[in-house]
Amino acid sequence: MRRVSVFGATGSIGQSTLDLIGRAPEAYHVVALTGGRNVKNLAEDARRLNAEIAVTGYDACLPALKEALAGSGIEAAAGEQALLEAADRPTDWTMSAIFGAAGLAPGLRSLRHGGTLALANKESLVTAGPLLLSEAAKHGAKVLPVDSEHSAVFQALVGEDIAHVERVIITASGGALRSWPKEKLATATVADASAHPNWDMGQRITIDSASMFNKAMELIEAKEFFGFRPDQIEVLVHPQSLVHALVGFNDGALMAHVGPSDMRHAIGYALNWPERAHLPVERLDLAKIGQLDFSAPDFERWPALTLAHHVMERGGLSGTIFNAAKETALDLFIAGEIGFQDMARLVERVLQKFWAEEPSATNGHNNAVIPLENTLEYDQIARIRAREI
Ligand code: NDP
Ligand code: MG
């Protein structure tokens, strides 16, 4: 039996992961499941999958979790420290799918016992890519991408020499507001930005798709994970979301990964790697689909993409600041305090402030490993600066 833990089990990625694990309960021993406020679901899943321990990220949710697990023999715990302790329990495979920078520390910790970390939490790479990968190398742990585009690139690279890669193209659907006239974007509401045409995802990442911050994060994620140069990574708008990424080689070949818009494909690939196994996802009928469309991204419409390029070129703690400012801007947009286009303006102003005032922390240290404490400190300061601005 493979020992598995799922961090962020109550979320969109977490639920898709449990769907796959729950189809073959004889193959898995579930160690830890973690969630946030949704303790009812967390307890139900922990009972159904017979987990060792269920952890909520919030102390205030512990009484409800204990009550929901009463009589089950399953341990209950709460808080950041409990998440780290859950990550200390050895597993063969761990899913990192907590949303945001909160997912960084538990994912990092789980690398200590070796095993495989399936990384949906892109914030970990954007915030602390060199740290995460060096920890993995130090402990002989394997990190596998779960973000669909990065899983696609990873699959296209199987058996290839990375030195033969000229460029990598990750696709973007364009999100809920792709066909809106640019002049109207300033008026977009949370509801407008939350209606994704193809993917069924959590609300925050859906809004990040509409603003292209999700793709901006993914550019940085690709640079950090695969080690490509910023000028090798491109974005291509592809409204159908069926081609997830393309890898261009030095002989002119482009290897495209085509698959359904269902995260269970990328999750299942990481779960079964290095094998492939049957997955319960749709089989595409390309004759019926008929047409796939591609276009260049409009950098004026989506300033987040330009910001990501600046962040990649700067390095240092720029990714940490970018992510923290983005998360704060998103909170403010969801709370109705700033407009849709203010998110990118705010992130840009926070970055510029740090670049002007702390050039050494945010420049010239490309790929240097920055300790977790410094990373979390800058994450917090960037959130405060964003709110001040
Ligand atoms: P959701 O918002 O659906 O789920 C997030 C999960 O994290 C929930 O289990 C939530 O608990 C938990 N959580 C949130 N905050 C905290 C916290 N402070 N402490 C502990 N747990 C917390 O997110 P998604 O599943 O959409 O995304 C998860 C990650 O995967 C993100 O990094 C995202 O970028 C990435 N990703 C997602 C994709 C998708 O299709 N959804 C695609 C590619 C990447 P609760 O709900 O119980 O409060
Ligand atoms: Mg993605």
Side-chain angles (χ1 to χ4, degrees), residues 122 146-150 171 199 201 205 214-215 218 221 263:
K122 61 191 84 183
V146 172
D147 212 346
S148 55
E149 297 76 5
H150 305 73
T171 60
W199 295 93
M201 311 186 287
I205 190 170
N214 183 48
K215 213 49 54 180
E218 290 179 359
E221 185 185 6
M263 285 307 295

Side-chain angles (χ1 to χ4, degrees), residues 8-14 34-38 57-58 83 97-100 102 120-123 147 201-202 205 263:
T10 51
S12 163
I13 293 286
T34 87
R37 299 208 155 76
N38 192 351
Y58 305 108
L83 287 173
I98 291 178
F99 199 94
N121 182 271
K122 61 191 84 183
E123 296 87 349
D147 212 346
M201 311 186 287
I205 190 170
M263 285 307 295

Side-chain angles (χ1 to χ4, degrees), residues 129-180:
L131 173 63
L132 189 94
L133 297 179
S134 74
E135 273 292 294
K138 193 159 106 193
H139 301 288
K142 181 83 192 161
V143 181
L144 294 175
V146 172
D147 212 346
S148 55
E149 297 76 5
H150 305 73
S151 173
V153 172
F154 189 81
Q155 294 179 50
L157 287 174
V158 170
E160 302 287 354
D161 181 341
I162 201 146
H164 296 156
V165 175
E166 275 180 355
R167 60 183 177 145
V168 167
I169 302 166
I170 59 175
T171 60
S173 69
L177 310 175
R178 181 179 55 88
S179 52
W180 279 38

Side-chain angles (χ1 to χ4, degrees), residues 215-224 228-234 305-316 318-319 322 355 366-367:
K215 213 49 54 180
M217 299 274 289
E218 290 179 359
L219 286 169
I220 304 169
E221 185 185 6
K223 169 185 172 272
E224 296 296 338
F228 299 125
R229 292 189 316 275
D231 63 290
Q232 288 180 295
I233 317 167
E234 301 166 26
L305 296 176
T306 306
L307 290 177
H309 270 279
H310 293 320
V311 167
M312 289 193 285
E313 261 130 39
R314 285 272 181 163
S318 298
F322 176 77
W355 287 337
N366 250 339
N367 295 325

Side-chain angles (χ1 to χ4, degrees), residues 34-345:
T34 87
R37 299 208 155 76
N38 192 351
V39 290
K40 189 169 159 275
N41 259 28
L42 179 62
E44 273 168 20
D45 285 333
R47 282 177 184 268
R48 180 169 59 87
L49 297 168
N50 199 18
E52 283 177 20
I53 183 167
V55 184
T56 159
Y58 305 108
D59 293 323
C61 295
L62 185 59
L65 181 61
K66 278 191 170 155
E67 192 186 320
L69 287 173
S72 67
I74 298 167
E75 294 170 62
E80 281 175 29
Q81 188 56 34
L83 287 173
L84 296 181
E85 283 164 21
D88 280 336
R89 297 190 180 210
T91 61
D92 301 297
W93 191 88
T94 298
M95 167 55 78
S96 168
I98 291 178
F99 199 94
L104 171 62
L108 258 182
R109 189 71 162 249
S110 76
L111 294 170
R112 288 193 190 170
H113 54 64
T116 296
L117 182 67
L119 194 66
N121 182 271
K122 61 191 84 183
E123 296 87 349
S124 293
L125 283 168
V126 173
T127 301
L131 173 63
L132 189 94
L133 297 179
S134 74
E135 273 292 294
K138 193 159 106 193
H139 301 288
K142 181 83 192 161
V143 181
L144 294 175
V146 172
D147 212 346
S148 55
E149 297 76 5
H150 305 73
S151 173
V153 172
F154 189 81
Q155 294 179 50
L157 287 174
V158 170
E160 302 287 354
D161 181 341
I162 201 146
H164 296 156
V165 175
E166 275 180 355
R167 60 183 177 145
V168 167
I169 302 166
I170 59 175
T171 60
S173 69
L177 310 175
R178 181 179 55 88
S179 52
W180 279 38
K182 256 186 273 185
E183 312 76 62
K184 231 185 113 194
L185 284 177
T187 65
T189 63
V190 174
D192 294 330
S194 302
H196 200 284
N198 310 324
W199 295 93
D200 178 14
M201 311 186 287
Q203 187 196 33
R204 297 178 69 88
I205 190 170
T206 303
I207 298 173
D208 280 350
S209 295
S211 64
M212 275 293 173
F213 266 111
N214 183 48
K215 213 49 54 180
M217 299 274 289
E218 290 179 359
L219 286 169
I220 304 169
E221 185 185 6
K223 169 185 172 272
E224 296 296 338
F225 187 84
F226 297 103
F228 299 125
R229 292 189 316 275
D231 63 290
Q232 288 180 295
I233 317 167
E234 301 166 26
V235 172
L236 184 65
V237 177
H238 168 47
Q240 291 91 355
S241 298
L242 297 176
V243 176
H244 302 298
L246 306 99
V247 178
F249 293 95
N250 56 356
D251 59 357
L254 265 182
M255 298 289 279
H257 180 284
V258 189
S261 339
D262 182 335
M263 285 307 295
R264 290 178 305 173
H265 168 71
I267 296 166
Y269 184 79
L271 185 61
N272 297 307
W273 182 89
E275 308 289 330
R276 282 189 190 270
H278 176 272
L279 290 173
V281 300
E282 184 194 350
R283 272 45 177 173
L284 294 180
D285 182 341
L286 289 175
K288 226 187 228 161
I289 293 160
Q291 186 178 332
L292 298 173
D293 299 297
F294 302 99
S295 60
D298 176 344
F299 288 88
E300 262 176 52
R301 172 185 287 272
W302 293 304
L305 296 176
T306 306
L307 290 177
H309 270 279
H310 293 320
V311 167
M312 289 193 285
E313 261 130 39
R314 285 272 181 163
L317 285 155
S318 298
T320 310
I321 295 158
F322 176 77
N323 178 66
K326 189 277 295 180
E327 287 192 32
T328 309
L330 181 59
D331 287 339
L332 293 170
F333 174 63
I334 291 173
E337 289 181 42
I338 64 173
F340 181 74
Q341 289 177 311
D342 295 330
M343 289 191 283
R345 293 192 189 111

